[in-house]
Amino acid sequence: MKLTEEQRAAVEHCGNVVITACPGSGKTRTIIAKILKCVDEIRDTPRKIACITYTNTAVYEIENRVSQNQGGVEEGICEVSTIHSFCQSNILTPYYWKTEDYKEGFTILTSDSDQFNEIATEIIEEFGLDNSSFTLDSFGGLHRNPDGSPGTSGNVTTEAALAFWNRIKKDGLIDFGNIIYQSYLILSQNPSLVENLSCRFAYLLVDEFQDTTALQVEILKFISSENRTDFFLVGDREQSIFSFAGAQSGLMEEFAEFISAEKFPILGNFRSTKPLVEVAERLIEREPPMRSVTVSESLPFSFTYQHTENPFVAITDFLLPYLEENDIPLGDAAILAPNWYILNALGRKLREYGVPIVGPGARPYKRSYALGRIAEQVCGYLETGTANFLRQTEKELALIANQSNRGAMFRLFSYEGQRIVQRLMFEGRKIQSEHEGGREWLRKAAESFERILLEERILAENQRGQVMESAELMLKEMEQAKVDLNNLNLSDLGMFADPRKNIKLMTMHTAKGREFPAVAIVGLIDGQVPYHNYYNSLTKEGIEEGRRLFYVSLTRAEKALMVFSNDHVKGLPPSRYLNELGVID
């Protein structure tokens, strides 16, 4: 692979490495190059490589790029996963019987499931918490400290967090925070398992290390203490934006010192044009400074600011005309906002306006429907033939099995899973040949897909009828959302799985690690960026994290960046960071 001198020096170094990677510095390319090098070293040995990254999106990207370079994912040499998946597959699943709380096994409780919402709602009512969507979402951000105490988020109290965990434990359920905590307890009480892990993994690569929690670092310390595993850490303190989830940016330097890692700064930005790099440097001045090394040409008006009545006006009056004037496809643009609520309202309006979007407000039905999860992937594959949909369908089937209390089905990530996915795709194409309309296809697909899921034991017999029922619920919700069901087609269902022709809507947090030719940031109001309210008073740390969040958002743009503030019902002013950029007085 073609690497810069900075990247190559880090990849070729023998021993522990910590890379400080600025935005757009090609850190993923560097990680891929390191994986390929490590694969060559251990190919004929029983040892493995683990690459841990922060999101499933990053996992898919790394897996695909390693596979394209014949790096060994398909051979089982390299395991790419989130920290939760790593702990689940390597520690909790094989050794859950060593725990006090989950001796009889467990089922993972995801925050987008109906069961999660029901339990969290009960706890909210029991403890008299603010009954809002914000509070409900906060239960999904709960995590634990090494001493077992809860690291709460939003306005969830310590007592409420403990009650929530006790309730799910009683039902044999486990959330993501406790996957890490139970894995930590297993390792702390069983030194031989620590030795086992360190013998198994010759290399452990960790991406986005600035967002690591104290508990996660303790697990990594266990493995490093055996001195059998080399660490390759990549992160950037200036992009640490997940303190609400327990991230502590200082842990990167602390752990690097603990393992005596050699430091490698990478400061060349391949993503953004020079004007956009200069904008980012106004907000956070790096030393030495970040520099643009992209060969892309800057578009006219590559950075603009407007104050509008609301985000919808910002998009329809400024972003969409700009994209059209400069021949930028809608699929090359992203709209970022401080929170989901802004995007949800904006997404609904844009969908009604006829703008194809992916993200909050885009789906006219709940994401949690099993049929929707499968149908989106099948329709995406039938429309494009792209192989990525096959792999994603395996993941969706595993999630459905888990939520259906069938437990973790690792068999779905083998030949057996590929066979089941091909059955679904074949059935979907057969139905397409008989029913062109999306409504008819959805009903027939529900009947056929449910039969396959029952035959393949992904659903239990007592769940017969649920998938078919979900088809009617989806159609009802689409009708309420004013979707023209008479003209619904497969591309409408598949667009959520194939977003290449649609504007992407995402929060500023979830945009981390992504890049787009054109980016619009809406909702830049003080009180949202930086965030502060009754439950979260403004602090020095909050101001600094807000600045980093805005910095991360700015640096998602490759060529064109538009930022918008808007009128606010509480009379809050535009974000203070706009003043730092010099666009307002």
Side-chain angles (χ1 to χ4, degrees):
M1 296 180 69
K2 186 177 181 180
L3 301 174
T4 66
E5 291 184 9
E6 291 177 328
Q7 294 168 343
R8 187 171 299 281
V11 169
E12 293 184 348
H13 181 78
C14 295
N16 295 324
V17 167
V18 58
I19 296 175
T20 302
C22 76
S25 61
K27 68 180 181 65
T28 303
R29 170 180 285 266
T30 307
I31 290 170
I32 301 300
K34 183 65 176 181
I35 289 175
L36 298 180
K37 183 175 186 296
C38 295
V39 165
D40 285 341
E41 293 179 12
I42 68 169
R43 189 180 295 277
D44 296 322
T45 76
R47 305 194 74 188
K48 298 176 62 176
I49 303 159
C51 178
I52 296 173
T53 189
Y54 199 77
T55 65
N56 285 322
T57 300
V59 169
Y60 305 153
E61 180 183 1
I62 292 173
E63 284 181 339
N64 290 335
R65 289 175 64 174
V66 171
S67 296
Q68 290 169 9
N69 286 277
Q70 299 179 348
V73 168
E74 68 280 3
E75 301 171 31
I77 295 176
C78 179
E79 178 181 313
V80 185
S81 65
T82 63
I83 183 65
H84 302 94
S85 295
F86 175 83
C87 289
Q88 179 195 342
S89 61
N90 291 290
I91 305 171
L92 190 57
T93 294
Y95 303 111
Y96 65 85
W97 48 275
K98 287 181 174 288
T99 68
E100 290 296 325
D101 296 336
Y102 294 96
K103 287 183 178 180
E104 305 302 320
F106 61 89
T107 299
I108 297 175
L109 182 67
T110 59
S111 59
D112 63 350
S113 68
D114 292 337
Q115 194 172 16
F116 180 97
N117 290 337
E118 291 171 4
I119 297 173
T121 300
E122 289 177 8
I123 299 298
I124 288 171
E125 294 175 354
E126 179 182 344
F127 286 85
L129 302 180
D130 177 43
N131 189 13
S132 65
S133 297
F134 174 78
T135 307
L136 189 64
D137 290 344
S138 297
F139 279 90
L142 294 176
H143 58 278
R144 296 192 97 138
N145 299 313
D147 62 2
S149 63
T152 57
S153 63
N155 57 334
V156 178
T157 63
T158 297
E159 293 75 16
L162 292 173
F164 176 77
W165 285 334
N166 286 331
R167 168 62 193 280
I168 66 174
K169 179 178 66 176
K170 181 180 177 182
D171 294 341
L173 304 171
I174 191 169
D175 62 356
F176 289 126
N178 276 293
I179 288 175
I180 303 296
Y181 181 63
Q182 293 296 332
S183 298
Y184 165 76
L185 291 180
I186 290 172
L187 294 184
S188 64
Q189 297 164 8
N190 299 275
S192 62
L193 299 185
V194 175
E195 183 180 12
N196 178 288
L197 276 178
S198 65
C199 289
R200 190 185 317 164
F201 293 103
Y203 292 95
L204 210 163
L205 293 75
V206 186
D207 189 17
E208 305 288 4
F209 200 92
Q210 76 279 352
D211 293 320
T212 303
T213 69
L215 191 58
Q216 293 166 13
V217 167
E218 290 302 313
I219 291 175
L220 298 180
K221 283 183 176 179
F222 281 138
I223 298 173
S224 70
S225 65
E226 297 292 323
N227 294 317
R228 292 188 178 93
T229 305
D230 282 349
F231 286 80
F232 191 83
L233 315 175
V234 183
D236 179 17
R237 189 166 187 168
E238 304 299 353
Q239 297 185 72
S240 179
I241 57 175
F242 289 98
S243 64
F244 65 86
Q248 300 178 34
S249 61
L251 291 173
M252 182 173 174
E253 288 84 355
E254 178 188 315
F255 185 66
E257 184 175 346
F258 180 82
I259 61 175
S260 302
E262 190 73 19
K263 298 179 181 179
F264 293 87
I266 301 179
L267 296 169
N269 185 319
F270 289 90
R271 175 188 302 149
S272 305
T273 57
K274 185 177 180 181
L276 297 185
V277 167
E278 291 173 349
V279 169
E281 282 286 310
R282 289 181 218 163
L283 195 65
I284 294 180
E285 187 175 352
R286 307 181 75 104
E287 183 57 43
M290 176 171 58
R291 63 188 187 279
S292 174
V293 291
T294 181
V295 296
S296 301
E297 293 295 327
S298 177
L299 292 173
F301 310 105
S302 58
F303 173 64
T304 58
Y305 161 73
Q306 295 286 342
H307 181 85
T308 63
E309 180 182 351
N310 56 58
F312 180 70
V313 172
I315 301 307
T316 55
D317 287 11
F318 294 96
L319 176 64
L320 293 179
Y322 175 83
L323 297 178
E324 184 176 359
E325 291 168 8
N326 291 279
D327 295 322
I328 301 176
L330 294 180
D332 285 350
I335 301 171
L336 314 184
N339 56 57
W340 182 89
Y341 311 107
I342 294 174
L343 291 174
N344 194 45
L346 175 61
R348 283 198 297 265
K349 288 185 177 181
L350 289 175
R351 181 161 49 80
E352 293 171 2
Y353 193 68
V355 179
I357 59 172
V358 172
R363 282 184 181 85
Y365 51 82
K366 293 186 182 69
R367 174 73 173 91
S368 57
Y369 289 130
L371 177 59
R373 291 182 182 277
I374 301 174
E376 288 177 8
Q377 303 305 322
V378 172
C379 291
Y381 181 74
L382 295 181
E383 290 291 302
T384 68
T386 305
N388 286 347
F389 294 115
L390 304 177
R391 190 182 200 92
Q392 182 59 29
T393 306
E394 292 178 0
K395 297 177 185 292
E396 297 293 353
L397 290 175
L399 184 59
I400 291 168
N402 181 71
Q403 292 180 341
S404 301
N405 294 322
R406 302 294 286 173
M409 289 192 175
F410 295 109
R411 64 184 177 90
L412 293 174
F413 302 102
S414 64
Y415 170 78
E416 186 174 356
Q418 296 172 23
R419 179 184 57 77
I420 297 171
V421 169
Q422 290 295 342
R423 283 192 69 186
L424 292 168
M425 298 301 173
F426 176 82
E427 197 69 25
R429 190 172 297 283
K430 177 183 175 183
I431 298 170
Q432 182 186 24
S433 67
E434 301 169 352
H435 302 278
E436 286 290 339
R439 174 160 44 190
E440 293 75 17
W441 184 91
L442 202 59
R443 283 174 169 153
K444 282 294 183 180
E447 181 181 345
S448 297
F449 292 174
E450 180 174 88
R451 173 175 50 80
I452 292 172
L453 295 183
L454 288 166
E455 290 175 356
E456 300 291 353
R457 296 175 291 111
I458 294 171
L459 291 179
E461 183 60 35
N462 62 5
Q463 294 168 320
R464 183 182 293 273
Q466 289 186 6
V467 177
M468 294 172 62
E469 181 184 1
S470 71
E472 298 306 320
L473 292 173
M474 288 172 63
L475 289 170
K476 182 178 179 180
E477 290 180 15
M478 283 191 273
E479 186 176 4
Q480 292 173 344
K482 300 179 181 179
V483 173
D484 184 1
L485 294 179
N486 292 325
N487 293 307
L488 182 71
N489 55 50
L490 267 62
S491 62
D492 296 323
L493 295 170
M495 75 174 185
F496 305 121
D498 181 27
R500 289 176 294 179
K501 297 181 181 179
N502 308 292
I503 292 183
K504 286 76 173 172
L505 273 65
M506 58 188 68
T507 65
M508 296 166 75
H509 282 94
T510 55
K512 180 74 179 71
R514 307 290 295 277
E515 58 185 36
F516 309 93
V519 171
I521 308 174
V522 300
L524 292 173
I525 304 298
D526 215 278
Q528 293 175 345
V529 183
Y531 174 73
H532 56 90
N533 64 8
Y534 175 79
Y535 303 107
N536 185 3
S537 58
L538 193 59
T539 63
K540 180 180 178 181
E541 291 77 13
I543 293 173
E544 291 308 308
E545 177 145 341
R547 178 180 287 105
R548 294 195 296 270
L549 178 61
F550 190 27
Y551 177 80
V552 166
S553 303
L554 293 175
T555 53
R556 299 310 94 195
E558 298 174 359
K559 299 178 180 180
L561 173 66
M562 306 182 81
V563 296
F564 300 97
S565 57
N566 55 268
D567 298 335
H568 195 273
V569 292
K570 295 183 179 180
L572 295 172
S575 172
R576 65 192 66 195
Y577 306 124
L578 295 171
N579 180 272
E580 295 183 22
L581 292 183
V583 296
I584 61 174
D585 296 328

